[in-house]
Amino acid sequence: MSTDCVTATLQDNVYELAVLMKRHDIGFVPIVEGSKLIGVVTDRDLVVRGYAEKHSGSTEVATVMTREVKTISPEETADEAARIMANNKIRRLAVVEDGHLIGIVAIGDLAVRDIFVHEAGESLSEISEQAADTGQLSHH
Protein backbone atom coordinates (compact mmCIF):
# COMPACT_ATOMS: atom_id res chain seq x y z
CA MET A 1 0.00 0.00 0.00
CA SER A 2 1.22 3.49 -0.82
CA THR A 3 0.51 6.04 1.88
CA ASP A 4 2.04 9.11 0.19
CA CYS A 5 -1.00 9.66 -2.02
CA VAL A 6 -1.26 12.55 -4.45
CA THR A 7 -4.77 13.97 -3.96
CA ALA A 8 -6.93 16.79 -5.29
CA THR A 9 -10.06 18.59 -4.14
CA LEU A 10 -13.29 19.78 -5.73
CA GLN A 11 -11.62 23.19 -6.11
CA ASP A 12 -9.25 21.73 -8.72
CA ASN A 13 -10.12 21.54 -12.40
CA VAL A 14 -9.56 18.98 -15.15
CA TYR A 15 -6.38 20.68 -16.40
CA GLU A 16 -4.86 20.74 -12.89
CA LEU A 17 -5.59 17.03 -12.52
CA ALA A 18 -3.94 16.26 -15.85
CA VAL A 19 -0.85 18.22 -14.74
CA LEU A 20 -0.76 16.31 -11.43
CA MET A 21 -0.95 13.00 -13.29
CA LYS A 22 1.85 14.03 -15.66
CA ARG A 23 4.09 15.45 -12.90
CA HIS A 24 3.75 12.36 -10.67
CA ASP A 25 3.44 9.78 -13.50
CA ILE A 26 0.11 8.49 -12.15
CA GLY A 27 -3.30 7.78 -13.64
CA PHE A 28 -5.42 7.86 -10.47
CA VAL A 29 -6.10 10.80 -8.17
CA PRO A 30 -8.30 10.50 -5.07
CA ILE A 31 -10.55 13.51 -4.52
CA VAL A 32 -10.74 14.51 -0.86
CA GLU A 33 -12.36 17.01 1.46
CA GLY A 34 -9.75 17.30 4.18
CA SER A 35 -8.76 13.63 4.40
CA LYS A 36 -12.27 12.30 3.65
CA LEU A 37 -12.45 10.43 0.35
CA ILE A 38 -15.31 11.71 -1.81
CA GLY A 39 -14.32 10.33 -5.21
CA VAL A 40 -11.53 9.52 -7.64
CA VAL A 41 -10.49 10.66 -11.08
CA THR A 42 -8.58 8.38 -13.43
CA ASP A 43 -6.81 9.27 -16.64
CA ARG A 44 -9.64 7.42 -18.40
CA ASP A 45 -12.22 9.61 -16.60
CA LEU A 46 -10.43 12.69 -17.98
CA VAL A 47 -10.71 11.32 -21.51
CA VAL A 48 -14.19 9.74 -21.44
CA ARG A 49 -16.07 12.19 -19.21
CA GLY A 50 -13.90 15.21 -19.94
CA TYR A 51 -12.36 15.66 -23.36
CA ALA A 52 -14.64 13.23 -25.26
CA GLU A 53 -17.61 15.21 -23.92
CA LYS A 54 -15.93 18.41 -25.17
CA HIS A 55 -15.25 19.78 -21.67
CA SER A 56 -12.39 22.24 -21.42
CA GLY A 57 -9.45 22.14 -19.03
CA SER A 58 -11.26 24.60 -16.77
CA THR A 59 -14.07 22.08 -16.15
CA GLU A 60 -14.57 21.33 -12.46
CA VAL A 61 -13.41 18.01 -11.05
CA ALA A 62 -16.97 17.03 -10.04
CA THR A 63 -17.91 16.73 -13.74
CA VAL A 64 -15.42 13.91 -14.41
CA MET A 65 -15.12 12.38 -10.93
CA THR A 66 -16.19 8.83 -10.11
CA ARG A 67 -18.26 9.05 -6.92
CA GLU A 68 -18.98 5.35 -6.38
CA VAL A 69 -15.49 4.37 -5.26
CA LYS A 70 -14.56 0.80 -4.36
CA THR A 71 -12.59 0.86 -1.11
CA ILE A 72 -11.03 -1.51 1.36
CA SER A 73 -10.23 -1.17 5.05
CA PRO A 74 -6.66 -1.49 6.33
CA GLU A 75 -7.63 -4.69 8.17
CA GLU A 76 -8.44 -6.53 4.93
CA THR A 77 -5.96 -8.93 3.36
CA ALA A 78 -4.06 -8.53 0.11
CA ASP A 79 -6.08 -11.50 -1.20
CA GLU A 80 -9.32 -9.61 -0.50
CA ALA A 81 -7.93 -6.54 -2.27
CA ALA A 82 -7.05 -8.70 -5.28
CA ARG A 83 -10.56 -10.22 -5.30
CA ILE A 84 -12.22 -6.77 -5.22
CA MET A 85 -9.97 -5.53 -8.03
CA ALA A 86 -10.67 -8.60 -10.17
CA ASN A 87 -14.43 -8.55 -9.58
CA ASN A 88 -14.66 -4.84 -10.40
CA LYS A 89 -12.02 -4.77 -13.15
CA ILE A 90 -10.06 -2.00 -11.43
CA ARG A 91 -6.32 -1.51 -11.02
CA ARG A 92 -6.30 0.65 -7.89
CA LEU A 93 -8.15 0.45 -4.61
CA ALA A 94 -8.44 3.20 -2.00
CA VAL A 95 -7.69 2.13 1.57
CA VAL A 96 -10.16 3.95 3.80
CA GLU A 97 -10.62 4.02 7.56
CA ASP A 98 -13.70 5.78 8.98
CA GLY A 99 -14.21 7.48 5.60
CA HIS A 100 -10.66 8.88 5.57
CA LEU A 101 -8.14 8.00 2.86
CA ILE A 102 -5.06 6.36 4.34
CA GLY A 103 -3.52 4.78 1.25
CA ILE A 104 -3.84 3.19 -2.17
CA VAL A 105 -3.27 -0.42 -3.16
CA ALA A 106 -2.32 -0.83 -6.81
CA ILE A 107 -2.45 -4.04 -8.79
CA GLY A 108 1.34 -3.74 -9.15
CA ASP A 109 1.69 -3.82 -5.34
CA LEU A 110 -0.13 -7.15 -5.28
CA ALA A 111 1.93 -8.55 -8.16
CA VAL A 112 5.17 -7.68 -6.35
CA ARG A 113 3.81 -9.19 -3.14
CA ASP A 114 2.90 -12.43 -4.93
CA ILE A 115 6.37 -12.62 -6.47
CA PHE A 116 7.97 -12.25 -3.03
CA VAL A 117 5.61 -14.80 -1.49
CA HIS A 118 6.38 -17.22 -4.33
CA GLU A 119 10.15 -16.64 -4.05
CA ALA A 120 10.05 -16.98 -0.26
CA GLY A 121 8.13 -20.25 -0.63
CA GLU A 122 10.67 -21.56 -3.13
CA SER A 123 13.56 -20.55 -0.86
CA LEU A 124 11.97 -22.27 2.13
CA SER A 125 11.40 -25.41 0.05
CA GLU A 126 15.05 -25.42 -1.06
CA ILE A 127 16.26 -24.94 2.52
CA SER A 128 14.01 -27.77 3.70
CA GLU A 129 15.22 -30.04 0.88
CA GLN A 130 18.88 -29.26 1.68
CA ALA A 131 18.30 -29.94 5.38
CA ALA A 132 16.55 -33.22 4.58
CA ASP A 133 19.37 -34.26 2.23
CA THR A 134 21.99 -33.64 4.93
CA GLY A 135 19.91 -35.25 7.66
CA GLN A 136 19.56 -31.98 9.55
CA LEU A 137 15.78 -31.91 9.40
CA SER A 138 14.37 -33.33 12.61
CA HIS A 139 10.97 -34.95 12.74
CA HIS A 140 9.13 -34.57 16.05
Side-chain angles (χ1 to χ4, degrees):
M1 172 177 79
S2 300
T3 55
D4 57 341
C5 305
V6 174
T7 61
T9 70
L10 291 175
Q11 283 70 49
D12 292 306
N13 64 34
V14 167
Y15 172 76
E16 291 164 329
L17 278 169
V19 169
L20 268 181
M21 289 179 185
K22 179 181 178 185
R23 182 181 308 135
H24 296 281
D25 192 27
I26 56 176
F28 177 93
V29 177
I31 307 303
V32 294
E33 281 181 350
S35 64
K36 185 174 190 280
L37 181 68
I38 58 170
V40 299
V41 175
T42 65
D43 44 9
R44 187 169 193 280
D45 292 333
L46 289 181
V47 171
V48 173
R49 294 189 195 136
Y51 303 122
E53 295 293 325
K54 299 184 179 178
H55 290 293
S56 71
S58 62
T59 300
E60 60 187 29
V61 167
T63 302
V64 299
M65 179 175 79
T66 299
R67 295 174 189 280
E68 301 288 320
V69 181
K70 295 293 178 192
T71 65
I72 194 167
S73 76
E75 291 80 32
E76 295 293 335
T77 65
D79 289 340
E80 179 63 10
R83 187 189 65 74
I84 292 169
M85 287 182 193
N87 289 346
N88 294 283
K89 296 179 177 63
I90 55 176
R91 302 175 59 83
R92 300 164 200 96
L93 194 55
V95 182
V96 174
E97 189 167 44
D98 297 325
H100 300 276
L101 178 69
I102 61 169
I104 301 292
V105 175
I107 201 162
D109 298 333
L110 298 177
V112 168
R113 174 191 167 274
D114 286 344
I115 289 167
F116 286 134
V117 167
H118 179 71
E119 287 177 357
E122 281 184 355
S123 296
L124 288 173
S125 293
E126 288 171 16
I127 292 166
S128 295
E129 287 170 15
Q130 290 169 359
D133 290 345
T134 60
Q136 295 176 357
L137 195 61
S138 60
H139 300 282
H140 295 287

